[in-house]
Amino acid sequence: MLILKTPAEIGLMRISSKIAAEVLAKLKKEMFPGITTGELDRIAESLILEKGGKPSFKGYRGYPASICASLNEEVVHGIPSDRKIKAGDLLKIDVGVYKEGFHGDVAETCAVGDVSLEAKRLQEITRKALYKAIEKSTTDNRVGDVSNAVQKVAEAAGYTVVREFTGHGIGRNLHEEPQVTNFGNAGTGIRIKEGMVFCIEPMINAGAAEVEILKDRWTVVTKDKNISAHFEHTIAILNGKAEILTSE
Ligand code: MF3
Ligand code: CO
């Protein structure tokens, strides 16, 4: 079942989404070599609680932390730990916040200090894929147009998209319909409707598309250990086009 949101509900979703974006912005200011991903998690959790929200991820299917922090060849769902980040790392931070009965979900790939040109390029192409897909999120289009936009940007740059994890509708539940894959054919899938709220989250690999899950049962890594990037915004379809809810 696909749950459309009223303008009032979208108003509530702006609240949790804005907090998620603010927390991510704060983490970006703390992201210096030497800090651990666990410390970033604690900063995020206290900030979310301070703002009257709850971390969406903690306890979700048993997930043990408030954010996901994934380094380099880790694609998504990295569990914060006592591992220190260092200059040259590509760090993907994912933040989910629940407030007023609704979730907001945002993620960004960040460069710790100076990163390689290849890492920088992957980061920028993945950001571009997200924004291109947001542009395609209009009531004139279908979900396949959004998926296709991500795939086209990634593959034109010589990269591959992860197929096992996808974007998703969001609302009173963290994951709702529709599923928003990072690959697909333009003109296919369900029509984008007024009141739809969904997360677009390109996961793009520098090498091969294949991923595997580590023994911790969460961390998704590339099989070939090449680097990966991930960006995510929660968007709402209002007046026929996308409004980014996860902005500060
Ligand atoms: N943005 C991710 C998602 O939508 C984060 C989920 S982490 C989890 O799936 F722990 F909550 F699963
Ligand atoms: Co998400």
Side-chain angles (χ1 to χ4, degrees):
M1 189 189 38
L2 195 150
I3 305 163
L4 297 175
K5 279 79 184 177
T6 65
E9 287 171 327
I10 290 171
L12 294 177
M13 293 195 73
R14 280 194 194 98
I15 297 170
S16 52
S17 298
K18 181 169 190 280
I19 295 173
E22 288 168 349
V23 169
L24 178 57
K26 170 74 177 163
L27 294 182
K28 282 164 71 178
K29 292 190 179 135
E30 303 289 337
M31 218 171 264
F32 289 110
I35 195 167
T36 69
T37 54
E39 283 163 338
L40 291 173
D41 184 64
R42 286 188 285 280
I43 292 168
E45 179 166 320
S46 44
L47 210 53
I48 292 168
L49 297 173
E50 212 173 274
K51 290 171 185 281
K54 288 212 286 201
S56 299
F57 303 163
K58 201 164 200 175
Y60 180 84
R61 296 174 176 231
Y63 187 73
S66 293
I67 64 168
C68 302
S70 314
L71 284 160
N72 305 322
E73 80 283 0
E74 298 170 355
V75 180
V76 287
H77 302 171
I79 301 174
S81 69
D82 54 14
R83 187 168 162 195
K84 285 185 171 132
I85 64 171
K86 57 184 194 313
D89 280 342
L90 209 49
L91 174 58
K92 286 131 277 180
I93 297 283
D94 197 335
V95 182
V97 173
Y98 181 77
K99 194 174 184 203
E100 311 293 344
F102 290 93
H103 294 275
D105 190 0
V106 68
E108 190 168 331
T109 295
C110 309
V112 181
D114 286 331
V115 300
S116 69
L117 275 178
E118 185 51 26
K120 196 84 206 149
R121 179 170 176 264
L122 177 67
Q123 178 193 33
E124 289 318 316
I125 293 291
T126 308
R127 192 198 310 273
K128 181 176 161 193
L130 172 60
Y131 282 90
K132 197 82 201 160
I134 291 172
E135 233 175 75
K136 294 283 179 185
S137 300
T138 72
T139 48
D140 297 328
N141 280 336
R142 294 174 181 268
V143 170
D145 295 298
V146 177
S147 300
N148 183 253
V150 172
Q151 182 177 15
K152 265 191 4 208
V153 171
E155 292 180 354
Y159 297 143
T160 62
V161 299
V162 173
R163 301 194 172 234
E164 290 85 347
F165 298 87
T166 70
H168 50 91
I170 184 168
R172 293 190 181 277
N173 298 297
L174 181 59
H175 295 139
E176 297 183 0
E177 284 178 39
Q179 178 173 265
V180 185
T181 59
N182 291 313
F183 61 94
N185 295 316
T188 66
I190 61 163
R191 246 177 212 298
I192 294 171
K193 290 191 200 72
E194 188 72 13
M196 276 174 71
V197 182
F198 55 90
C199 297
I200 304 175
E201 42 182 323
M203 286 157 251
I204 297 181
N205 295 349
E210 285 70 30
V211 297
E212 58 193 19
I213 297 177
L214 296 184
K215 279 206 231 35
D216 64 15
R217 297 177 50 238
W218 280 103
T219 313
V220 179
V221 297
T222 57
K223 259 196 181 145
D224 64 9
K225 305 289 183 270
N226 264 306
I227 52 173
S228 185
H230 174 226
F231 281 82
E232 177 175 20
H233 268 311
T234 300
I235 64 159
I237 307 301
L238 268 176
N239 303 314
K241 60 180 178 43
E243 175 186 321
I244 297 174
L245 301 185
T246 37
S247 58
E248 288 174 66

